[in-house]
Amino acid sequence: MRNYRKRVVDEILDERLASIGAVLLEGTKWCGKTTTCEQHCRSAIYMDDPDKRDQYLRMADSEIGSLLEGETPRLIDEWQDVPKFWDAIRHRVDHREGFGQFILTGSAVLSEEKKKEICHSGTGRYAWLKMRPMSLFESGESSGEVSLKTLFNGDSNTSWKAMPRCLSDTAFLICRGGWPTAAGRTGASAIRPVRDYYKAVTESDISRYDNVPRDPERVRNLMRSYARLQGTQSNLTTIRKDIAGNEAKSISEDTIYSYLKALKGIFAIEDAKAWSVELRAKDAVRTSDTRYFTDPSIAAVALGVTPRALMNDLRSFGFFFEGLAMRDLRVYMDALDGEVRHYHDKTGLECDAVLQDWAGNYALVEIKLGGDNLIDEGVGALLKLNDLIEAKKMMPPVFKMVLTATGDFAYRRRDDGIIVCPISALRP
């Protein structure tokens, strides 16, 4: 067996397999889904195997049950090309005792057309998991001294060690991304996986999602615009205006919407939803999603950004680092069965990340490159939001944190209890 680096999702997958009949693991291509699931299955079929694909498709059309035979858990890799698997597996789970019978992987959600081929939602038979490119903890580039789970449980420590990192290190990690095949590489070869991914998305994958031909150059223009607007709540009108300068002919908002839907469908982009708790009057809270890519390296390659370019433009660097932080926070909060949202109201009060666990407990996180001025800015924003929470007599956050790109250690401030934490110290 090839060398395997354990992922955060491994423990989650084991837990789900022990409590339900089938598990669907979705996520962007090349993030390691197949390799991870191979550690948990006892038999498998690979629907994208070029030597067997046609045979599998014929069998699925005539006798799909034969493809489900094998030791369990049985892996059906890239199942989405044959939606009939869904109901066939649901039926098999219903009529065969035991948990952990099947694992399905998918690099795209089903298009609306393919969803019509499914009769049952799968409730009670399936569990859904999402997998992303590697976090810094998973790639061995975080000390893991600061545990979000421990903080949610009331950790009162005042200092923790981080893995020392300077800004240029972080710039490289942003451009390299969390792709398993890039881990441990240096220089230009480390950037190659995301460049290949970007080419596949723009030239074929986005069209394969729903079999609708899309212009690769238009896809590239849209992804460049999305990269420029990452970390903002830009609407379709803003995106259309941003694209206009690079389009030979006008593009409608309906077309932009269909392209973005396809990019979400193949997990290239993953926006952050607004925090749903109403802190102010209903009309004062912005509910627009914040724009992000699944991995910050996708934004970097879309704009042709290099580590050196980030170092020469610290304002842009801040937005790219925010994308890196959101990726890692999402990976870590999955382990807590939680989610990551954002808060922004019309007065300008905002919080980059609101971490909420399954029980409704939450934490506030401001994301900053580092340095005293930016850390103070983040602290100020957290204190203002905390004052509003207190004024509304809401349940207070479990903890407040400024997450930074650099630093040799994490610490809790004495006067206000806010944690200042380098991303290279964080773990689930």
Side-chain angles (χ1 to χ4, degrees):
M1 182 179 293
R2 67 184 120 172
N3 186 32
Y4 178 69
R5 186 189 295 270
K6 193 171 179 66
R7 305 287 293 273
V8 169
V9 78
D10 279 292
E11 185 174 340
I12 307 172
L13 181 54
D14 276 335
E15 178 188 331
R16 298 296 192 275
L17 288 171
S19 61
I20 202 162
V23 177
L24 169 59
L25 182 65
E26 298 178 308
T28 186
K29 270 191 173 181
W30 304 351
C31 72
K33 298 184 302 299
T34 301
T35 303
T36 293
C37 290
E38 285 174 340
Q39 316 305 309
H40 300 263
C41 73
R42 300 184 67 182
S43 66
I45 61 170
Y46 303 89
M47 295 304 295
D48 61 354
D49 183 340
D51 294 330
K52 297 181 179 180
R53 177 177 170 79
D54 289 343
Q55 175 188 347
Y56 287 155
L57 291 175
R58 288 194 297 269
M59 293 174 68
D61 191 50
S62 61
E63 193 178 351
I64 195 168
S66 62
L67 295 177
L68 304 183
E69 297 297 331
E71 289 189 89
T72 61
R74 182 161 176 79
L75 170 62
I76 314 295
D77 191 50
E78 298 296 352
W79 77 281
Q80 71 273 1
D81 289 341
V82 183
K84 289 173 62 176
F85 270 125
W86 188 265
D87 286 325
I89 289 174
R90 186 263 308 167
H91 184 269
R92 186 66 60 96
V93 167
D94 277 347
H95 293 84
R96 188 168 66 186
E97 293 184 2
F99 297 132
Q101 297 183 36
F102 295 96
I103 307 172
L104 291 76
T105 72
S107 295
V109 299
L110 293 184
S111 65
E112 295 302 319
E113 195 62 33
K114 288 183 178 179
K115 285 180 182 177
K116 296 177 182 177
E117 301 180 38
I118 293 178
C119 299
H120 196 283
S121 67
T123 302
R125 287 81 165 182
Y126 284 93
W128 285 260
L129 297 180
K130 182 175 285 187
M131 189 171 181
R132 301 175 180 86
M134 291 189 298
S135 65
L136 296 184
F137 177 68
E138 292 172 305
S139 61
E141 288 152 321
S142 169
S143 68
E145 290 284 324
V146 179
S147 165
L148 289 182
K149 181 178 181 179
T150 302
L151 290 176
F152 268 99
N153 288 334
D155 182 7
S156 59
N157 281 354
T158 57
S159 65
W160 304 261
K161 291 182 180 180
M163 190 172 287
R165 180 160 295 121
C166 63
L167 271 183
S168 60
D169 296 330
T170 304
F172 169 76
L173 293 174
I174 287 170
C175 294
R176 186 203 67 188
W179 311 97
T181 56
R185 293 197 205 178
T186 59
S189 68
I191 313 298
R192 174 52 61 184
V194 68
R195 291 178 63 188
D196 291 340
Y197 169 85
Y198 177 70
K199 183 176 182 181
V201 166
T202 56
E203 296 187 1
S204 61
D205 288 353
I206 190 172
S207 297
R208 289 178 57 191
Y209 162 69
D210 53 5
N211 294 318
V212 174
R214 293 184 172 89
D215 178 9
E217 186 57 34
R218 178 163 281 183
V219 179
R220 286 189 283 269
N221 287 340
L222 176 57
M223 293 181 74
R224 281 194 290 268
S225 175
Y226 221 78
R228 283 190 290 268
L229 297 171
Q230 66 180 316
T232 73
Q233 294 88 48
S234 300
N235 57 26
L236 294 182
T237 300
T238 301
I239 296 173
R240 181 177 61 81
K241 290 179 179 178
D242 188 76
I243 295 173
N246 296 310
E247 283 282 324
K249 55 183 179 180
S250 62
I251 180 172
S252 70
E253 291 184 13
D254 286 343
T255 299
I256 292 173
Y257 175 81
S258 72
Y259 275 52
L260 292 181
K261 184 177 181 180
L263 287 172
K264 290 177 182 177
I266 60 174
F267 305 104
I269 59 178
E270 183 178 4
D271 296 340
K273 294 187 178 299
W275 192 28
S276 60
V277 178
E278 291 186 6
L279 297 182
R280 290 180 176 270
K282 191 172 183 179
D283 62 352
V285 178
R286 292 183 175 178
T287 57
S288 301
D289 294 351
T290 302
R291 309 294 186 179
Y292 293 108
F293 285 88
T294 301
D295 190 276
S297 63
I298 306 173
V301 74
L303 282 177
V305 168
T306 64
R308 179 178 293 180
L310 289 178
M311 293 297 294
N312 290 332
D313 183 355
L314 293 184
R315 184 176 183 279
S316 295
F317 195 160
F319 286 107
F320 279 91
F321 174 63
E322 191 174 316
L324 174 69
M326 290 297 292
R327 180 201 68 194
D328 283 13
L329 290 172
R330 283 167 166 161
V331 171
Y332 303 154
M333 287 304 296
D334 280 348
L336 277 65
D337 200 12
E339 60 181 341
V340 183
R341 294 187 173 235
H342 77 93
Y343 179 80
H344 188 192
D345 66 28
K346 290 184 178 179
T347 70
L349 185 60
E350 62 180 327
C351 183
D352 295 325
V354 180
L355 316 183
Q356 192 160 8
D357 70 8
W358 66 272
N361 302 307
Y362 69 97
L364 306 177
V365 180
E366 275 288 287
I367 301 168
K368 301 294 181 183
L369 281 182
D372 291 343
N373 290 340
L374 288 177
I375 290 173
D376 287 344
E377 182 181 306
V379 167
L382 291 172
L383 292 176
K384 284 182 181 178
L385 183 51
N386 193 71
D387 288 345
L388 179 58
I389 290 169
E390 289 182 352
K392 294 294 181 180
K393 295 183 171 20
M394 291 175 52
M395 179 179 71
V398 178
F399 63 90
K400 300 180 287 293
M401 174 185 289
V402 177
L403 188 61
T404 65
T406 61
D408 295 344
F409 58 92
Y411 60 94
R412 191 187 301 269
R413 290 163 51 105
R414 290 183 180 180
D415 51 349
D416 49 38
I418 292 175
I419 298 167
V420 178
C421 178
I423 196 170
S424 60
L426 213 55
R427 66 167 293 166

